[in-house]
Amino acid sequence: MHALPAKPDLGQLRKHAKDLARENAVALSEAQFRLARDFGFPSWPRLVAYVRRVVDHGPDLHARDDLWHSTPEGWAEACGQPEAQALLRRLGRSGWRRFRR
């Protein structure tokens, strides 16, 4: 598994996926899936969403992202928005797992 750079570039990832598709004679969607899995994401759309969040909110999102995968309380604290904190308290742990998908 590889780590994304601190400032990932969606254009470069798309180009890399196209190159993989050509090199391995597979469909682009398969190459995108493999690339996402190589970076530790369950799918290409999840990888794209993550990169867009990093681009929109800066590289410090990497540090806060660990909280996203840990607990609803940790994520609510990291986002710093009272509405999100209240929502996550109402969701509870089982709702948190569904919310993260």
Side-chain angles (χ1 to χ4, degrees), residues 63-76 78 93 96-97 100:
R64 292 189 315 227
D65 194 58
D66 289 339
L67 294 170
W68 169 256
H69 295 289
S70 60
T71 65
E73 297 84 11
W75 185 79
R93 292 231 178 251
W96 170 250
R97 285 190 282 280
R100 283 189 352 196

Side-chain angles (χ1 to χ4, degrees), residues 13-91:
L13 290 171
R14 286 187 173 128
K15 183 179 180 326
H16 191 177
K18 287 178 185 179
D19 292 344
L20 282 175
R22 266 185 251 123
E23 291 170 6
N24 296 310
V26 296
L28 178 60
S29 60
E30 177 64 22
Q32 290 171 332
F33 175 75
R34 290 179 186 180
L35 187 61
R37 297 294 291 177
D38 193 39
F39 283 114
F41 290 85
S43 66
W44 176 256
R46 290 278 180 106
L47 172 60
V48 170
Y50 180 80
V51 170
R52 286 184 177 149
R53 283 188 309 158
V54 170
V55 169
D56 291 345
H57 301 288
D60 66 324
L61 180 65
H62 285 284
R64 292 189 315 227
D65 194 58
D66 289 339
L67 294 170
W68 169 256
H69 295 289
S70 60
T71 65
E73 297 84 11
W75 185 79
E77 184 179 324
C79 78
Q81 295 188 8
E83 299 85 15
Q85 292 170 354
L87 170 68
L88 292 171
R89 277 191 216 96
R90 285 196 307 270
L91 283 174

